[in-house]
Amino acid sequence: MAAIFGPEANLGARLVLLAMAGMATLLVGGWIVLPRTDWLTGRGFPIQQPVPFSHQHHVAGLGLDCRFCHATVETSANAGLPPGYTCMTCHSQVWTQAAVLAPVRQSLLQHRAIAWNRVTNLPDYVYFDHSIHVARGVACESCHGRVDRTALLDKQHSLSMGFCLDCHRNPAPRLRPPDAVFAMGWQRGPATPSPQALMRLYHVGDRNLTDCTLCHR
């Protein structure tokens, strides 16, 4: 009986198998790598805002504390965003007619919140509480980076699950004394309590910080 496939069919079969293996490798590699890229995490891409607020100017230049604008960061899961009247505390006196601040003035006059765009937007299945982290000595800088050096704010860390677990597995080196939580560029000094002393102060080791239910509720 004559052969159905000629010798060249072997080469074709090998090429098809190689193509299938290559496609599978690309799909698996893309599934693993792509979610970790800056393009998908949004890291390093400034977010356009209704008002081009400069953290560099307000924090480094004017010395504003994080809590001036993010007023609920110590008491709530949400850090809070500044309403128009917070901005007008200063801008009723300076830059009073600046066109760039028109949305701020309208917010105050219309009693409507400024529609700030989120820079950090965690998935709905992730629970994060600002107040508990601040109360346990985790600095704003740890997650948000050096905002005092940023004119138009961007996401400076991926805030992926791996990023959070790195800290939860070994929190001691990242803890600060209470008076340094909101400081930018803080450095540990000779008088700073040791990481182990801060762990005891904040009772950080009292619970398993890698328990899934901490963040997924």
Side-chain angles (χ1 to χ4, degrees), residues 53 58 64-72 80-94 104-105 107-108 112-114 116:
F53 181 89
H58 289 83
L64 289 187
D65 188 281
C66 303
R67 291 163 288 188
F68 185 79
C69 295
H70 304 289
T72 59
L81 292 171
Y85 63 79
T86 297
C87 305
M88 292 301 289
T89 301
C90 296
H91 288 295
S92 61
Q93 305 296 320
V94 295
V104 175
R105 294 191 294 271
S107 169
L108 185 67
R112 296 178 61 182
I114 300 172
W116 299 106

Side-chain angles (χ1 to χ4, degrees), residues 22-84:
M23 287 295 294
T25 301
L26 285 174
L27 288 173
V28 173
W31 180 68
I32 294 173
V33 174
L34 277 178
R36 292 166 171 78
T37 62
D38 291 347
W39 180 61
L40 282 186
T41 62
R43 183 171 55 181
F45 295 93
I47 304 298
Q48 293 300 315
Q49 301 290 354
V51 180
F53 181 89
S54 171
H55 279 77
Q56 185 178 39
H57 171 66
H58 289 83
V59 177
L62 300 178
L64 289 187
D65 188 281
C66 303
R67 291 163 288 188
F68 185 79
C69 295
H70 304 289
T72 59
V73 69
E74 294 178 291
T75 58
S76 172
N78 194 316
L81 292 171

Side-chain angles (χ1 to χ4, degrees), residues 70-81 118 120 122 126-135 140 143-144 214-215 217:
H70 304 289
T72 59
V73 69
E74 294 178 291
T75 58
S76 172
N78 194 316
L81 292 171
R118 278 187 172 276
T120 302
L122 295 178
V126 176
Y127 176 77
F128 181 87
D129 189 323
H130 279 84
S131 64
I132 193 65
H133 286 80
V134 168
C140 307
C143 297
H144 297 292
L214 279 178
C215 302
R217 302 183 177 184

